[in-house]
Amino acid sequence: MGTALIILAAGQGTRMNSDLPKVLHPLGGEPLLVHALAAGAALSPERVIVVTGHGGDDVARVARDWDPELRVVQQAEQLGTGHAVLQAAADLADFSGDAVVLYGDTPFVSPETLENLAAARASHDIVVLGFEARDPARYGRLLVEGDQLTRIVEYKDATNAERAITLCNSGVVAAKASVLMELVAALGNENAAGEYYLTDIVDLARARGLSATVVRCDEAETLGINTRAELANAEAAFQTRTRAMALADGVTLVAPDTVQFAQDTVIGRDAVIEPYVVFGPGVTIESGARIRSFSHLEGCHVSRGAVIGPFARLRPGAELSEDVHVGNFVEIKNAQVAEGAKINHLTYVGDASIGARTNIGAGTITCNYDGVSKHRTTIGSGVFVGSNTMFIAPVSVGDNAMTATGTIVTQDVPAGALAVGRAEQVNKPGLAVRLMDKLRAAKARAGKGQ
Ligand code: UD1
Ligand code: CA
């Protein structure tokens, strides 16, 4: 039978005060929508339908990046959450299993909770995920009698007595797909917002003799993001949880509160992360590597025994093998650095490969961009690159070669060769002293003249 997932992601998110669609705002380096899709993956859905509206093309692109097979339907006008679910009707016409509705702005629903939700379907037609809210604010309130959910009332429509209820609606709903579609097709919009509320299906279902119930979860899982402040709180909650997981996994975080993780950061046991390190998306750090303070990493791989930073920047495609050393003010992008190579100070390595045990001197730059195209620099193993070498790519350097300090490398350097490409030095005896005397005399004359 299987499960279909419907993700609502059409809302403009007016209260975010942003040009970016709400569900594309990042949390832990990934759009909120990706968190919702990842949460839903716990149900191993047979079909995924994302309902888009505001910024639909951009939202669809992010959704298809996550899963090229998922279906995207456009909700042309945002007439409410119930109307949004109805947009999935055509895609579910032939579907005999259950449908679960998730919101694109609710990123933290856990796999266990979704399993509990699915299990409760065995005894009830409609299952709604609810939570006890410390501050129920504008959430919809759940009205229950025993194990029956009798009604959901939106904050805007609630009486004062109903607003005092602290059991709130998360928005997550499970039902047989065909039943859900019949119910959302029958919704009206006579309410304070003039919207087709998904929440009203409970009333309709009970009028038809169907049963509804609530599955409860922790409030932290149902955090819905409507404002920048809520997004910042969610980010803080995400970071706190991720740091705790890293510590439990055997990673040393010297000052956990200062380390920023992404959703997909992977760090091996006994790696050491010093204070003030930022991980963007796509980072893997092997066991025993050390990331020193104030380093910024994204889309890169750091192998066992490597030491990075302080003040290093690893950008997408940086692949560092075992025991590589990368020091302060070094930037590495789209480059493979073989085992034991050292790039210790003030260097840019982009679109390059660097062989084993090669030493890159301070101030070296791979000049990879000619203003139109990017070009590669290939450096062999055991090479000694003198300080302030410029590699004008495309260029390659053979094994065990050297470059003299200050060399501008415009031609390939054969293995074992020393490349020297700099202006020859000329010493003028006594000229420094004579020049200084002349300059001081000129300054003194100018001072008297004033
Ligand atoms: C909704 C619930 C409320 C619940 C809260 C939990 C309704 C009527 N209310 O309120 O009971 O406590 O979520 O966070 O369901 N969306 C669409 N199309 C629309 C309208 C909304 O796709 O026409 C999407 C939004 O992009 C968002 C989600 O549905 O991802 C929820 O919409 P939102 O407007 O944030 O609902 P709330 O007012 O928060
Ligand atoms: Ca919301």
Side-chain angles (χ1 to χ4, degrees):
M1 288 257 277
T3 303
L5 202 62
I6 304 171
I7 307 224
L8 304 192
Q12 183 172 17
T14 323
R15 294 205 286 143
M16 292 295 277
N17 190 10
S18 173
D19 288 337
L20 189 67
K22 174 163 76 171
V23 298
L24 297 190
H25 278 264
L27 175 78
E30 295 272 19
L32 289 173
L33 177 63
V34 169
H35 289 264
L37 286 163
L43 293 165
S44 313
E46 225 164 71
R47 210 171 274 190
V48 180
I49 301 152
V50 176
V51 181
T52 65
H54 284 278
D57 291 346
D58 294 334
V59 174
R61 199 171 315 117
V62 169
R64 290 204 177 97
D65 271 357
W66 164 265
D67 173 5
E69 313 238 292
L70 61 66
R71 305 176 182 207
V72 176
V73 290
Q74 181 83 3
Q75 183 192 23
E77 265 187 295
Q78 279 66 61
L79 302 180
T81 48
H83 179 259
V85 170
L86 183 61
Q87 308 309 305
D91 281 284
L92 290 175
D94 62 338
F95 195 80
S96 58
D98 267 15
V100 174
V101 178
L102 297 181
Y103 288 174
D105 69 351
T106 305
F108 291 143
V109 183
S110 75
E112 299 73 39
T113 293
L114 290 178
E115 279 157 25
N116 292 343
L117 195 79
R121 272 277 299 119
S123 43
H124 294 274
D125 298 302
I126 312 271
V127 185
V128 169
L129 184 64
F131 61 101
E132 280 296 337
R134 233 167 304 146
D135 171 18
R138 294 161 166 275
Y139 286 116
R141 306 300 206 265
L142 301 182
L143 280 58
V144 291
E145 277 170 24
D147 76 335
Q148 292 291 316
L149 171 64
T150 55
R151 202 155 66 87
I152 307 179
V153 58
E154 285 305 293
Y155 176 82
K156 280 186 187 167
D157 303 290
T159 62
N160 281 338
E162 287 164 340
R163 286 179 182 181
I165 295 171
T166 52
L167 183 62
C168 290
N169 175 31
S170 69
V172 179
V173 177
K176 192 172 160 63
S178 55
V179 170
L180 181 65
M181 289 305 136
E182 271 174 41
L183 292 171
V184 290
L187 288 171
N189 65 347
E190 303 79 31
N191 52 52
E195 288 183 2
Y196 296 90
Y197 290 161
L198 174 60
T199 46
D200 283 347
I201 63 166
V202 173
D203 227 7
L204 289 180
R206 285 179 56 84
R208 296 175 182 208
L210 300 174
S211 72
T213 196
V214 183
V215 162
R216 289 168 170 76
C217 72
D218 194 273
E219 179 171 9
E221 290 185 43
T222 64
L223 195 73
I225 290 155
N226 302 299
T227 63
R228 304 259 185 183
E230 285 168 358
L231 181 63
N233 284 339
E235 181 73 43
F238 166 83
Q239 293 297 339
T240 302
R241 194 153 34 85
T242 310
R243 288 166 192 143
M245 271 159 37
L247 291 168
D249 286 346
V251 176
T252 298
L253 302 179
V254 177
D257 289 351
T258 66
V259 178
Q260 199 78 5
F261 288 93
Q263 155 86 347
D264 59 354
T265 308
V266 177
I267 306 183
R269 200 161 157 262
D270 289 322
V272 178
I273 313 299
E274 294 187 1
Y276 299 101
V277 170
V278 176
F279 295 106
V283 176
T284 52
I285 309 284
E286 287 184 16
S287 288
R290 174 180 283 264
I291 313 298
R292 306 197 60 198
S293 291
F294 304 106
S295 295
H296 188 284
L297 294 79
E298 59 187 315
C300 63
H301 177 85
V302 177
S303 302
R304 196 176 283 269
V307 181
I308 309 302
F311 299 100
R313 181 172 184 205
L314 301 185
R315 291 174 51 205
E319 287 173 35
L320 313 192
S321 300
E322 293 181 13
D323 303 319
V324 162
H325 286 195
V326 171
N328 43 277
F329 308 109
V330 171
E331 173 180 344
I332 301 182
K333 180 214 78 169
N334 186 30
Q336 296 72 48
V337 183
E339 61 276 8
K342 292 191 170 67
I343 312 172
N344 275 334
H345 340 260
L346 299 159
T347 290
Y348 173 63
V349 172
D351 304 307
S353 64
I354 294 176
R357 297 171 314 282
T358 283
N359 192 315
I360 306 284
T364 295
I365 291 175
T366 55
C367 309
N368 59 329
Y369 188 46
D370 57 19
V372 178
S373 307
K374 302 277 168 68
H375 302 283
R376 282 194 75 80
T377 299
T378 306
I379 300 176
S381 58
V383 173
F384 185 89
V385 173
S387 295
N388 211 35
T389 298
M390 303 287 129
F391 291 102
I392 313 292
V395 74
S396 68
V397 179
D399 294 345
N400 302 312
M402 283 176 83
T403 68
T405 292
T407 293
I408 298 177
V409 180
T410 54
Q411 309 160 32
D412 290 352
V413 181
L418 169 66
V420 191
R422 60 188 183 202
E424 211 169 314
Q425 182 175 327
V426 183
N427 290 335
K428 312 271 186 185
L431 185 57
V433 173
R434 291 206 302 280
L435 186 62
M436 281 308 214
D437 287 348
K438 208 167 129 187
L439 292 173
R440 285 192 190 101
K443 189 175 179 183
R445 275 200 306 279
K448 267 185 208 144
Q450 271 171 8

